[in-house]
Amino acid sequence: MQKGQIRVQTENIFPIIKKFLYSEHEIFLRELISNATDASQKLKTLASIGEAKGELGDLRIDVTIDAKEKTLTISDNGVGMTAAEVDKYINQVAFSGAEEFLDKYKDANIIGHFGLGFYSAFMVSDKVEIYSKSYTEANAVYWSCDGSPEFELYEIDKADRGTKIVLHINEDSKEFLEADRVRSILERFCRFLPVAIYFEDKQINNTNPLWTRKPSELTTEDYQNFYKELYPYGETPLFWIHLNVDYPFNLTGILYFPKIKQSYEIQKDKIQL
């Protein structure tokens, strides 16, 4: 068993994270789902080049709530982590000049660029636990931290490959133990991620959205049905453009032009990513 202090370049990174992301606490779920998606996609890539052996099974991410235990759990069956990887990616957090950065930038979305996405979990948690088994190892690893720089890290038995992150939700964040609240966040941020995401035994995302297919394969009805999936109460759109741009950057998508009867119906932020 290993005990130690998370190596950060500030005395205590957690109050900084909580302050930095204060206005958007729900961002933690997006960050953890993003990490789980990356772990699943990485395993696919390793399998395709022969580095990951054996059956992958159905790659999926599960989000579960236990209101009695006050926990929210995100599980995946992706690459998993070894003890050395947990120590490297979780404990060795470098956030140079965090206080100065906080004063300069106020945009919460930039946090992920600094490898601190996982630590956004502490905005809503009194304690965070990780159970992980790498595709390369027979043994699994357990990590826990209560929001102070101290952590525990030791080997455990875990049958299945992948990572499970358990958040012990704090008193101020009980909204994230409510199914409707969690579902709305998942539908907002994770609707078209490429790995199946399950919540309350129901898949909440479309892993094969229309824009990933060739326009020649699609009918007018296909485009209209997809629009209804996005906007169930909207009228049939006037027309649409199927985008496939590869220069100067790669972009695929479908741009719908809805019918607008009144000028006040025009709203911002209607593009779904």
Side-chain angles (χ1 to χ4, degrees):
M1 176 176 173
Q2 179 182 354
K3 285 193 174 185
Q5 285 205 342
I6 294 168
R7 294 180 287 285
V8 295
Q9 294 183 7
T10 56
E11 183 178 342
N12 189 345
I13 196 74
F14 299 104
I16 294 170
I17 290 171
K18 289 180 180 181
K19 182 181 177 184
F20 186 64
L21 292 172
Y22 181 75
S23 63
E24 294 189 52
H25 278 194
E26 64 185 27
I27 208 171
F28 82 92
L29 191 52
R30 183 190 72 183
E31 294 292 337
L32 296 180
I33 293 288
S34 178
N35 289 348
T37 301
D38 290 344
S40 302
Q41 295 291 80
K42 186 176 181 181
L43 186 64
K44 277 186 181 179
T45 300
L46 291 170
S48 69
I49 61 177
E51 288 194 20
K53 308 294 184 183
E55 291 294 322
L56 297 188
D58 293 326
L59 296 178
R60 59 184 280 170
I61 298 165
D62 288 271
V63 180
T64 55
I65 294 172
D66 188 327
K68 184 178 179 181
E69 295 296 323
K70 298 180 180 178
T71 60
L72 189 154
T73 301
I74 297 96
S75 304
D76 68 70
N77 55 350
V79 285
M81 291 183 286
T82 64
E85 287 170 334
V86 170
D87 192 47
K88 178 179 179 181
Y89 297 122
I90 304 298
N91 295 334
Q92 297 180 37
V93 178
F95 195 41
S96 180
E99 292 93 341
E100 291 80 8
F101 184 87
L102 178 62
D103 290 336
K104 186 174 181 181
Y105 298 101
K106 303 299 180 185
D107 180 9
N109 293 318
I110 207 166
I111 194 77
H113 298 174
F114 288 83
L116 288 172
F118 166 76
Y119 280 93
S120 63
F122 285 95
M123 292 187 302
V124 300
S125 307
D126 287 324
K127 179 182 180 181
V128 178
E129 299 174 291
I130 299 175
Y131 302 78
S132 194
K133 183 177 181 180
S134 170
Y135 76 101
T136 64
E137 298 283 332
N139 294 323
V141 62
Y142 171 83
W143 178 94
S144 70
C145 178
D146 63 1
S148 69
E150 283 77 30
F151 69 87
E152 291 186 352
L153 176 63
Y154 53 86
E155 288 189 349
I156 58 167
D157 291 326
K158 182 178 183 294
D160 302 321
R161 177 200 69 224
T163 299
K164 178 172 75 172
I165 298 177
V166 182
L167 311 184
H168 295 261
I169 302 298
N170 62 37
E171 192 65 24
D172 294 334
S173 305
K174 290 189 291 186
E175 64 187 280
F176 300 112
L177 295 173
E178 299 171 5
D180 288 345
R181 178 75 167 106
V182 172
R183 188 184 303 106
S184 69
I185 298 170
L186 293 173
E187 289 176 349
R188 179 182 174 193
F189 289 129
C190 310
R191 195 163 188 173
F192 300 113
L193 289 180
V195 179
I197 301 168
Y198 284 84
F199 179 62
E200 296 186 316
D201 297 321
K202 182 180 178 183
Q203 185 172 338
I204 60 93
N205 61 323
N206 181 348
T207 59
N208 187 31
L210 224 59
W211 64 76
T212 61
R213 296 163 59 186
K214 296 177 181 179
S216 59
E217 300 174 351
L218 302 171
T219 65
T220 295
E221 187 178 10
D222 290 329
Y223 286 108
Q224 292 176 346
N225 288 339
F226 187 60
Y227 186 82
K228 288 178 183 177
E229 180 185 335
L230 295 171
Y231 307 105
Y233 303 106
E235 290 191 45
T236 302
L238 290 171
F239 61 96
W240 49 86
I241 299 173
H242 197 133
L243 304 170
N244 192 348
V245 178
D246 56 15
Y247 183 84
F249 51 82
N250 183 258
L251 170 67
T252 56
I254 300 170
L255 189 58
Y256 286 100
F257 292 80
K259 296 176 182 177
I260 296 174
K261 296 178 181 178
Q262 304 289 341
S263 61
Y264 62 77
E265 291 181 358
I266 300 173
Q267 298 178 39
K268 294 181 179 180
D269 305 323
K270 281 296 184 180
I271 292 180
Q272 300 199 36
L273 302 177

